[in-house]
Amino acid sequence: HQLMKKGVSQATLQVAVRCRPLNDFEKSRGYVSITRLVDDKVVIVLDPEHLKEQRETNLDVLKRSKEKQYVFDRALGENATNAMLYNVTVAPLVHGVLRGLNATVFAYGATGSGKTHTMVGDDQDPGLMVLSLRDIFEHISREQEKQFIVECSYMEVYNELLYDLLENSEKPLELREDPKQGAVVVGLKRILVPSADHIFALLREGNKRRKTESTDANATSSRSHAVLEILCTRSDKNCYAKQVYQGKLALVDLAGAERAHETNNAGRQLRDGANINKSLLALANCINALGKRKKKEFVFVPFRNSKLTRLLKDGLCGNSRTIMVATVSACNQQYHHTVNTLKYANRAK
Ligand code: ADP
Ligand code: MG
């Protein structure tokens, strides 16, 4: 029992992987799915070169094969909904956030792998940002003795500059270190959220303000990180000396990971050096360090190296909980991105 308390149940970093299904275009081109779930924790990626033989073998054979298996805290397949992902990742954290704990959830993966689908989603399948807020309000409605205030901010980190996604302003905001509050974004709009229904419109509006890439029209937002912060303040209803708790849930739709992979692969020598995404690399380094810390090795976590990691520090260290959702495409065309993402996520675990 003691071990449970110290180890598994207190795990501060959890990694989940999610495979997106082929879209109609991919199907029309005759592409196929190369990801297979062994169980709710293990994924196998079929090598497209050997695909023909492997497609004739069943999962039992695959399980015993030398094909690389990747193990995570959770693995979800092509049919999983955002709600299913939510229930096994973020849902267990909400109670703590309403009692003053910090938590951070981010989607990591190549452009087109499903990060925005996972975080924002649509009307049919609302994403983790929306589901979290709904759940927070659901919890609050059951608390008779306490009083809650829920506030949100939504911002973008683009080329190491911060922009408010709730405002029509092109002016970057300053990030300042406050001895008491930690990292503070000066002038960032923080809105009082009256109910979960209000968030969808805000997120959609905000996403329209995200920077797109002039050089590649398809790669919308592939270099920008969108950060939703939900601040929950709890106090007693009928009490003089009110005790106040503040918990923060940060949900991050990260920039496309393909450049980070390229950068790693090329030993940081990209063709166009300006494209190196400092924040993504810094976050990757922090996650690696946190992963090692989980294994009780002593490591220095380099939070100061980028805007994103400075911003998220509170939600990544101490007794905060972190969830990384690695998104991959099941499509054989995306083999290299998929393997790179899984390798990275596997290291973080
Ligand atoms: P990213 O934000 O990683 O670039 P998107 O979330 O925009 O990728 O996903 C690319 C496309 O694939 C979108 O049209 C999206 O609706 C679709 N998609 C992504 N994940 C899923 C999923 N799990 N199930 C169904 N469609 C998905
Ligand atoms: Mg996106």
Side-chain angles (χ1 to χ4, degrees):
H1 189 68
Q2 195 77 34
L3 200 72
M4 266 291 283
K5 263 190 154 168
K6 280 199 174 135
V8 184
S9 67
Q10 297 271 309
T12 54
L13 175 64
Q14 284 223 22
V15 183
V17 64
R18 176 191 210 174
C19 312
R20 85 150 166 83
L22 274 66
N23 57 36
D24 290 342
F25 173 77
E26 290 165 336
K27 283 182 200 154
S28 75
R29 298 290 295 265
Y31 299 152
V32 291
S33 165
I34 53 165
T35 56
R36 300 286 184 275
L37 288 198
V38 174
D39 54 32
D40 66 354
K41 289 184 164 57
V42 182
V43 191
I44 295 176
V45 185
L46 308 182
D47 186 335
E49 303 237 334
H50 310 141
L51 197 58
K52 210 154 172 274
E53 318 142 40
Q54 282 168 341
R55 278 177 75 192
E56 285 146 18
T57 61
N58 61 28
L59 200 57
D60 283 332
V61 178
L62 271 175
K63 276 190 230 172
R64 279 182 264 114
S65 78
K66 288 195 196 74
E67 209 64 33
K68 180 78 177 131
Q69 304 191 6
Y70 301 88
V71 186
F72 299 94
D73 296 305
R74 282 289 173 172
L76 291 106
E78 297 171 44
N79 296 324
T81 60
N82 283 327
M84 286 157 76
L85 176 69
Y86 178 82
N87 286 337
V88 296
T89 53
V90 192
L93 303 185
V94 167
H95 184 80
V97 169
L98 291 174
R99 269 150 195 79
L101 272 182
N102 292 334
T104 302
V105 183
F106 53 87
Y108 178 97
T111 299
S113 63
K115 296 181 298 297
T116 305
H117 176 82
T118 296
M119 284 311 202
V120 183
D122 52 33
D123 290 323
Q124 282 79 47
D125 195 9
L128 299 185
M129 289 176 174
V130 181
L131 295 173
S132 301
L133 261 172
R134 277 192 192 161
D135 205 14
I136 284 170
F137 280 103
E138 169 77 27
H139 274 249
I140 289 175
S141 71
R142 279 185 263 124
E143 302 240 12
Q144 308 292 319
E145 309 290 303
K146 309 287 178 200
Q147 187 169 295
F148 291 88
I149 297 171
V150 181
E151 293 162 292
C152 279
S153 64
Y154 194 37
M155 73 194 116
E156 173 181 51
V157 182
Y158 181 77
N159 277 342
E160 290 303 287
L161 294 171
L162 300 175
Y163 298 93
D164 199 333
L165 289 176
L166 297 180
E167 294 256 55
N168 281 322
S169 164
E170 284 299 300
K171 232 183 90 194
L173 301 174
E174 192 195 333
L175 183 63
R176 221 178 267 163
E177 301 297 331
D178 181 278
K180 277 211 187 105
Q181 294 168 270
V184 175
V185 183
V186 183
L188 180 69
K189 190 166 180 177
R190 194 193 272 172
I191 52 157
L192 197 71
V193 190
S195 79
D197 298 336
H198 286 74
I199 198 66
F200 234 134
L202 285 175
L203 291 176
R204 223 170 259 149
E205 286 291 298
N207 279 351
K208 278 192 214 138
R209 297 189 182 106
R210 285 181 75 175
K211 305 274 180 299
T212 55
E213 214 164 345
S214 49
T215 50
D216 181 358
N218 290 325
T220 307
S221 327
S222 71
R223 288 168 65 190
S224 98
H225 312 277
V227 183
L228 175 74
E229 286 197 334
I230 307 173
L231 192 68
C232 302
T233 312
R234 183 184 84 146
S235 56
D236 297 315
K237 248 181 195 165
N238 323 301
C239 182
Y240 253 129
K242 279 191 182 174
Q243 216 171 7
V244 177
Y245 294 92
Q246 210 163 52
K248 193 164 72 179
L249 177 62
L251 297 124
V252 190
D253 182 0
L254 289 173
E258 59 277 3
R259 284 193 169 82
H261 297 145
E262 267 176 61
T263 310
N264 282 334
N265 293 345
R268 295 198 173 208
Q269 284 181 329
L270 270 188
R271 286 175 298 279
D272 46 348
N275 275 348
I276 295 175
N277 195 314
K278 199 171 162 188
S279 274
L280 192 63
L281 288 177
L283 180 71
N285 288 333
C286 287
I287 295 299
N288 276 344
L290 289 169
K292 283 186 191 146
R293 190 180 267 182
K294 189 170 150 186
K295 292 171 196 134
K296 302 276 184 292
E297 293 171 37
F298 176 79
V299 277
F300 172 69
V301 185
F303 285 113
R304 292 212 54 85
N305 290 354
S306 78
K307 287 281 165 61
L308 186 68
T309 47
R310 280 173 62 193
L311 203 62
L312 295 177
K313 185 176 179 239
D314 280 354
L316 292 173
C317 61
N319 59 356
S320 305
R321 304 299 174 88
T322 307
I323 295 170
M324 168 169 160
V325 181
T327 56
V328 298
S329 164
C331 182
N332 62 311
Q333 279 296 86
Q334 301 295 319
Y335 175 72
H336 290 288
H337 286 321
T338 296
V339 167
N340 278 334
T341 299
L342 293 179
K343 273 186 190 160
Y344 170 72
N346 207 40
R347 269 206 313 261
K349 176 175 55 93

